Amino acid sequence: MANRRNRRIEPSFGEPARDASVAGFSLREEDRVVPASRKPRSRKADRTEKPRRSAKARSARGGRGRRRGLFGLFMRMVYWCFVLAIWAGIAAAGMVVYYGAKMPAATTWSIPDRAPNIKIVSVDGRLIANRGMSGGEAVHLSEMSAYIPKAVIAIEDRRFYSHFGIDPLGLGRAMVTNLMHGRLSQGGSTLTQQLAKNLFLKPDRTLERKVQEVLLALWLEHKHTKDEILAMYLNRVYFGSGAYGVEAASRRYFGKSARDVTLSEAALLAGLLKAPSRLSPARDPKAAEARSQLVLAAMQDEGLVSSREMTHAMSAPAARVPSYWTGSENYVADTIMEELPDLIGEVEGDIIVDTTIDLDLQKQAEKSIRRLIDENGKKLDVSQGALVSIDSSGAVRAMVGGYDYSTSQFDRASGAKRQPGSAFKPFVYAAALEAGRTPDSVRNDAPIQIGKWKPVNYGGKYYGKVTLSTALAKSLNSVAAQLAMEVGPQAVIEIANRMGVQSDLQKNVSIALGTSEVTPLELTAAYVPFANGGYRPQVHFVKRVANAKGKVLYEFTGGSAPRVLKPEIVGMMNSMMAGAVEVGTARKAAFAWPAAGKTGTSQNSRDAWFVGYTANLTTGVWFGNDDARPMKNVTGGALPAQAWHEFMVAAHEGVPVARLPGGWQRAPVAPAIPEIATGEPAETVSAPAPVSVRPAEPVQRAAPVPPAAVARPSVPVAGGGNGGGNAHPAMPSDRAPTASIRRPVPPGEVGAPMKKGTTSILDILTGG
C-alpha cells in the first residue's frame, strides 16, 4: 500500500488509460474524483435531460415576439402622432388667432366694388366697345349661358355646392397628388377661396395669406349664397388677354355676349382659369382647345351634360374671332375715353355711353379704306388711311383712324397733323368772297412771283383768264396765291379758325396751298358750315351718359350753333365746289346726290385728301404713310375720292335727295379744260355713271321747326338702319333764298353776269 501511494505517476498526453495494465497501475473510471462544480456533463446526458426545441417552434415563438414589438411600435407612433396633432392644432389655432388679429374686424368687412365698366354703344344701341379694368359688364348668373357655371364647377370645384368654403376632401386629394408627383401640381383652393383671394388679398404665396384666405372664405359662405358667390367669381376672375369677367372674355374670344356662349365655348373659357395667360386662345389656340376637351370630359363625368350635347360639342369646337382689337370702332372708343373725364369726372360705377356713331357706316368706312390699301398698297406705296364723317348737327357718324387698330392704335383721324394741300383752298376762296369777289370774278392764271416764292401749277401749264369757279374746280395754284395776297394771310387764318380749324396756322402766303398742318377731324369739321348753311355746330361723339340704374350723368345739348358764314357766301362756295365733283379734280366722287368738295395733295404725294359733303353728311378722307414717305402719284382725286364715293353711296341709300344750301347758280364749267393743280394730275377719266338711289322705304324726317325755336342744328338719326340718313337740319331764317344771287362786280374785275334762269346741274339732279 505504501509502495502504491509513493509510486510516481507520469503525466500522459495520450488517451487516458482505462485499464490498469496499460498505465501500470489499476485505476477505474469511477475512482476518479472530480469536484462537483466542475464535473463535466456529457452531451448525451444533456440531450436526454433537456432536448432542444424544433425550428418550427422557435420560428413561431419569434414571430409572436416580433408582432408584439411591431404592435408596440405602432402604438407608440399613434400616441406620438396624437400628441403631435394636438400640438399642431394648438399651433394652427395660434397662427389663425395671430394672423386673424392682424386683419380688420369682421364687422367692417365688405365686398369691394367691382372695377367700373364703360359700355360704349352705337346710335342704335349696339355694342361698340367695353372699356375699364373689367372690359365687360357684370352679367347675372341667370342671364349668362347655363353652360358656363357648369363648366367652371366641373373643372375647378366639383363639390362647390356641398362644402362650407373649404373642401377637406379636395385639399387631401391635392396633397396626395403633390406628394406623388414630388411637386406642387394641384391646388386645393375652392372657388370661394379663389374669390376671397381675388377680392381682398395680394397674390403672395405666404402662410399669412393662406390663413387669411381661409378666414375670408368662411366669411363669404356665411354672408352670401352659393349662387351669389359663383356670380361674383365669374364676373371678376381673369380669363387672360386683358379680359376680366366672363362677359369680357366672351367678347374678347368669340365676339359675342356671355349670354350666347355655346357648350364648347364655355368649356374653353373654364379651361383658361388654370393658367389664363398661357392658355389664352389668342396666344396658344391648340393648348386652349386641348384644355377645353378636359373640361368637357369632367362635365360628362359629373353628369352635367348629356351624351348628345357632348357629341355635338366635340364636333363643333369653339371658334374664336380673328382679332378682338382689329375693329376701327376702337379708335372711336379711345377718343370717347379721353373725353369722359371732362364730361362726367371720375367714373365711379358701371356706365353706358350712347354715342352718335352709326355702326353700319363705321364698318363701311373701314371696309373701303382697307380694300383700297389692300389692292393698291404695294403698287402705289400707301399703307395708311383715315376717314371722318360728320352730319350737319356736328354728330360724328363714323371715324376710322387707320388701316388696322390691332397693329397700330394711333388715331390718324384725330391725332395726325398733315399738310392738306389744295383741300385748304376753300378757306382762301371764302375769304375772297367775303372781301367782295364772286364765283364769276376773273383772274389771270399765269406764272407769278411773291417775294422769293414762285407758285406753279401742276405740270407747269397755265390757262390765262379764268373765273374763280373754274380756278377752284381745277385747283389752279397761281389763282389761289393771288387771292391770298389780295385778302392777306390773316384773313384766311381768321375764316379757317372761325369755321373750325383749331391747329396753329402759319401766317404766310403759302397758306393758300395748304402748307400748314391740320388733322382730318378738324378739317372735315371745318367743311360742315358749307353743308348746313353757314353754322358751326359743336362736333361731338357722345349723346348721353347714364349709370347702370338709368340715371343720366351727361346729355349733349349743344347750345346755339353760331353762324360763321353768310347765306350768300355759302351758296357761292357750294356752287364753286360742286364743280370740283362734277367736272373738276374729284369726278370719281360723284354720285346721284348734289355734292361738293375739294381734293388736296401735298408735295411729292405725301398726303392725298378729299373732303366733300352733301346736305346730309360731310366726309373727309386721307391716305398716306406714317413716316411721310411719298406715295406713287396718289392724288386726292384717286384713292380718297374713291373711298369717299363708296362710303357716301352706302350712307345715302334710301335717303330722300336734298339740295345743298344756298342758291347761287353758276355758269357750267367747260369740262374740256385739263385738270391742273398741285398734286392733281391732268387726268382724262370720264365721270362715273350716276348711282341711282334705291326707292327704299322713305326715311322718317324731322318735322319743320319754327325759326324761333331753333337753338342749334338738329339732325335726327334716320331710321331703318340706312347708315346716317338724316333729315336736313332746321336753320334760322337768314338762310339764302333759292333764287339766284348776283353781287356787283368790284372795280377792276372782269366778269360777265350769269344769265337769269340758267339751269344748273344741281337743278337737273334734284329736279329743280
Side-chain angles (χ1 to χ4, degrees), residues 214-339:
V214 170
L215 293 175
L216 290 167
L218 295 174
W219 176 79
L220 284 171
E221 290 279 347
H222 175 69
K223 288 289 185 180
H224 299 277
T225 66
K226 288 288 187 179
D227 284 351
E228 290 173 343
I229 291 172
L230 184 57
M232 282 190 286
Y233 177 82
L234 291 174
N235 281 298
R236 295 171 186 252
V237 70
Y238 184 55
F239 284 91
S241 297
Y244 288 86
V246 69
E247 176 70 8
S250 300
R251 298 280 184 186
R252 170 69 179 86
Y253 298 123
F254 313 124
K256 62 172 67 173
S257 171
R259 300 169 177 85
D260 306 319
V261 165
T262 64
L263 173 57
S264 57
E265 292 166 344
L268 189 146
L269 292 176
L272 298 178
L273 298 175
K274 179 180 180 181
S277 299
R278 179 172 58 85
L279 295 175
S280 168
R283 176 181 179 180
D284 192 343
K286 292 183 178 180
E289 179 61 26
R291 177 68 177 170
S292 71
Q293 298 299 314
L294 294 178
V295 176
L296 288 171
M299 295 178 72
Q300 189 176 39
D301 291 342
E302 293 298 310
L304 298 176
V305 292
S306 65
S307 299
R308 184 177 181 181
E309 290 175 313
M310 184 72 172
T311 302
H312 183 268
M314 290 291 190
S315 62
R320 67 184 184 90
V321 293
S323 179
Y324 178 71
W325 298 108
T326 190
S328 63
E329 62 272 14
N330 288 290
Y331 290 114
V332 176
D334 290 348
T335 300
I336 290 173
M337 289 300 295
E338 293 177 2
E339 292 184 355

Side-chain angles (χ1 to χ4, degrees), residues 648-660:
M648 294 295 269
V649 167
H652 290 77
E653 185 177 355
V655 181
V657 176
R659 288 187 182 186
L660 291 170

Side-chain angles (χ1 to χ4, degrees), residues 330-645:
N330 288 290
Y331 290 114
V332 176
D334 290 348
T335 300
I336 290 173
M337 289 300 295
E338 293 177 2
E339 292 184 355
L340 269 182
D342 294 331
L343 300 181
I344 63 171
E346 184 179 356
V347 179
E348 297 180 349
D350 287 3
I351 60 173
I352 300 174
V353 180
D354 292 311
T355 72
T356 61
I357 298 297
D358 186 311
L359 205 52
D360 291 330
L361 283 186
Q362 183 72 30
K363 295 298 184 182
Q364 177 60 48
E366 178 182 352
K367 178 182 177 182
S368 298
I369 295 294
R370 282 195 162 196
R371 183 188 68 81
L372 290 170
I373 292 178
D374 288 340
E375 294 177 358
N376 302 280
K378 293 183 179 179
K379 179 175 62 177
L380 301 178
D381 198 9
V382 55
S383 61
Q384 287 294 346
L387 184 149
V388 180
S389 187
I390 308 172
D391 70 16
S392 293
S393 72
V396 178
R397 295 304 188 194
M399 186 179 76
V400 177
Y403 172 79
D404 187 356
Y405 183 87
S406 66
T407 58
S408 173
Q409 290 78 52
F410 176 62
D411 184 3
R412 294 152 191 83
S414 63
K417 291 191 174 184
R418 307 298 291 255
Q419 289 186 347
S422 296
F424 194 82
K425 287 179 181 177
F427 306 116
V428 178
Y429 280 77
L433 296 181
E434 286 190 339
R437 283 64 170 174
T438 71
D440 295 329
S441 298
V442 175
R443 291 295 180 272
N444 187 27
D445 178 36
I448 61 173
Q449 181 171 346
I450 303 173
K452 296 182 179 180
W453 181 48
K454 295 180 180 180
V456 296
N457 289 337
Y458 184 85
K461 293 185 178 181
Y462 299 90
Y463 294 92
K465 292 182 179 181
V466 293
T467 64
L468 298 190
S469 291
T470 299
L472 183 59
K474 302 301 178 182
S475 198
L476 303 180
N477 291 337
S478 67
V479 175
Q482 292 175 50
L483 294 177
M485 279 293 296
E486 293 175 17
V487 301
Q490 184 58 45
V492 177
I493 293 173
E494 188 275 331
I495 197 169
N497 290 339
R498 190 200 319 161
M499 295 182 68
V501 175
Q502 300 174 349
S503 296
D504 293 333
L505 303 175
Q506 299 175 358
K507 190 177 179 180
N508 52 45
V509 182
S510 66
I511 194 176
L513 305 187
T515 55
S516 292
E517 296 177 338
V518 294
T519 68
L521 178 60
E522 65 179 323
L523 185 62
T524 304
Y527 271 62
V528 172
F530 295 133
N532 68 14
Y535 298 90
R536 178 188 172 183
Q538 181 180 341
V539 175
H540 59 286
F541 293 83
V542 179
K543 293 195 323 178
R544 185 184 304 103
V545 181
N547 63 18
K549 296 181 180 179
K551 180 182 178 182
V552 177
L553 306 177
Y554 165 82
E555 188 163 13
F556 177 78
T557 57
S560 61
R563 175 176 282 283
V564 293
L565 288 178
K566 294 180 179 179
E568 58 269 23
I569 302 298
V570 173
M572 288 187 283
M573 286 300 303
N574 288 344
S575 174
M576 289 193 291
M577 283 195 283
V581 176
E582 294 167 8
V583 296
T585 58
R587 292 197 306 272
K588 291 181 179 179
F591 72 115
W593 263 66
K598 186 69 189 74
T599 57
T601 310
S602 64
Q603 190 174 18
N604 296 325
S605 293
R606 287 186 170 87
D607 307 277
W609 302 72
F610 179 62
V611 185
Y613 53 92
T614 64
N616 185 43
L617 285 176
T618 301
T619 302
V621 182
W622 167 89
F623 280 91
N625 295 301
D626 287 337
D627 58 1
R629 183 177 68 256
M631 296 176 287
K632 295 179 180 178
N633 298 320
V634 178
T635 66
L639 298 184
Q642 293 176 48
W644 189 92
H645 173 88

